Amino acid sequence: MPALEVRDPRLHEVVADDPLRRVATGFRFLEGPVWHPVERSLVFSDIPAARMSRLSAGGALSVMRDPSRMANGNAYDRQGRLLTCEHATSRLVRQEADGSLVTLADRFRGRELNSPNDVVVAGDGTIYFTDPAYGRAAPYGVPRSRELSFCGVYRLGAHGLELLTDDVEGPNGLCLSLDERHLFVADTERMHIRRFALTESGVAGSAVWARLTGPGTGEPDGLKIDSAGNLFSCGPGGIHVFDPAGSALGVIRVPEVTANFTWGDDDMRTLYICASTTLHRFRTRVPGIRAF
């Protein structure tokens, strides 16, 4: 299959016209890739297998955490500590230098969170994460009843845990704008990307920023912004690429349902793609953004 579906010629200024390359396969359902720029390694989750793996820059694959409590999204904070969303425990945790895990969030107003899904960290250390109910059903979680009546998007910072919005039916992937004044959230159920204006007290309104359409299987899931402000989102057929204004440039075609991705390698121009059973890589012309 062709690697690119071009909807705007400017796509070629953002991504390379190279083939999609398979890195490793044999997994159950991959998610949460994150690149450590100092250790030069990729960490990613296999949700149903309840295992997290590490890929070295040299290509060596090893088990990083087992069991992972059905970990999904991951991110590094500004100190290089790994944050992980756990479906089986409804927790957002942080790994300390000694390997121990500290719970950052697991309840809101006395009720257990649904199943933290994806997480991103701002430059000042503020943490944003989504909390849909997908981790409370098989095969991506532990079947159990919900304590919250809504699915939320949260901020964890100087004022503790804050609910930014419960007006997202299926909050999934998320990312910040380059200036960190806006938060983008994938609404899987509604097949669109929302953009929220961030304020000190929460959010000051939102709008549907882009709708994901096209052939192939897949839904809005992982989101990332590159160093030029182009937004990449999982969607039908692979990874959809939008310019900073929200115009669709095209799709990086992937042969399996794609859940998430991240940039890595020394030049931050290798896109590591978690596509169901397989980890792929694909080159871009515009680099991604280092975690720290």
Side-chain angles (χ1 to χ4, degrees):
M1 63 186 303
L4 295 180
E5 175 192 323
V6 179
R7 299 181 180 178
D8 186 310
R10 291 178 295 152
L11 179 66
H12 295 293
E13 300 172 10
V14 180
V15 302
D17 197 12
D18 291 337
L20 191 69
R21 301 181 188 277
R22 187 171 69 180
V23 177
T25 192
F27 303 98
R28 293 175 62 181
F29 191 83
L30 295 183
E31 253 284 11
V34 59
W35 178 260
H36 195 295
V38 178
E39 296 179 353
R40 301 177 66 242
S41 63
L42 182 80
V43 167
F44 56 95
S45 306
D46 187 339
I47 302 176
R51 182 182 301 115
M52 293 168 64
S53 299
R54 176 182 282 112
L55 179 75
S56 72
L61 192 64
S62 60
V63 175
M64 182 264 178
R65 187 181 299 167
D66 187 3
S68 70
R69 292 160 287 277
M70 305 189 85
N72 188 343
N74 299 286
Y76 286 111
D77 67 13
R78 298 306 172 181
Q79 288 74 49
R81 298 172 296 187
L82 183 66
L83 310 185
T84 299
C85 298
E86 296 181 347
H87 274 188
T89 64
S90 299
R91 301 189 305 171
L92 172 66
V93 300
R94 183 180 68 213
Q95 181 171 298
E96 303 298 288
D98 63 1
S100 62
L101 298 179
V102 173
T103 299
L104 299 180
D106 62 351
R107 308 185 79 82
F108 179 69
R109 295 176 180 168
R111 297 180 182 273
E112 192 175 65
L113 294 172
N114 297 317
S115 56
N117 184 284
D118 207 355
V119 56
V120 66
V121 184
D124 65 357
T126 301
I127 299 166
Y128 298 85
F129 68 93
T130 53
D131 186 45
Y134 302 132
R136 288 182 175 258
Y140 306 116
V142 177
R144 60 204 191 278
S145 59
R146 294 167 55 177
E147 295 187 12
L148 292 173
S149 61
F150 59 87
C151 295
V153 179
Y154 293 89
R155 177 167 63 188
L156 181 60
H159 302 293
L161 184 63
E162 304 171 85
L163 176 66
L164 292 180
T165 182
D166 59 5
D167 185 30
V168 182
E169 188 173 345
N172 207 321
L174 76 171
C175 67
L176 290 160
S177 60
L178 286 181
D179 60 11
E180 300 191 346
R181 295 172 58 188
H182 293 89
L183 181 70
F184 296 89
V185 179
D187 191 332
T188 297
E189 302 304 317
R190 294 170 177 162
M191 292 296 292
H192 65 221
I193 298 169
R194 294 273 292 281
R195 188 179 77 160
F196 295 87
L198 295 170
T199 68
E200 186 174 340
S201 60
V203 293
S206 70
V208 174
W209 188 78
R211 299 184 185 277
L212 281 79
T213 61
T217 55
E219 302 161 327
D221 199 330
L223 297 181
K224 300 285 188 304
I225 282 198
D226 68 15
S227 58
N230 302 297
L231 187 144
F232 289 53
S233 172
C234 295
I239 299 174
H240 293 231
V241 183
F242 298 89
D243 74 5
S247 296
L249 301 182
V251 181
I252 303 168
R253 303 288 297 177
V254 183
E256 291 182 272
V257 172
T258 304
N260 217 324
F261 54 89
T262 195
W263 281 270
D265 291 351
D266 292 341
D267 63 1
M268 293 298 291
R269 293 199 299 115
T270 296
L271 198 64
Y272 286 98
I273 301 170
C274 287
S276 300
T277 66
T278 306
L279 177 68
H280 299 275
R281 68 182 182 209
F282 185 82
R283 294 289 287 172
T284 65
R285 301 190 190 281
V286 179
I289 303 169
R290 287 171 55 114
F292 58 92

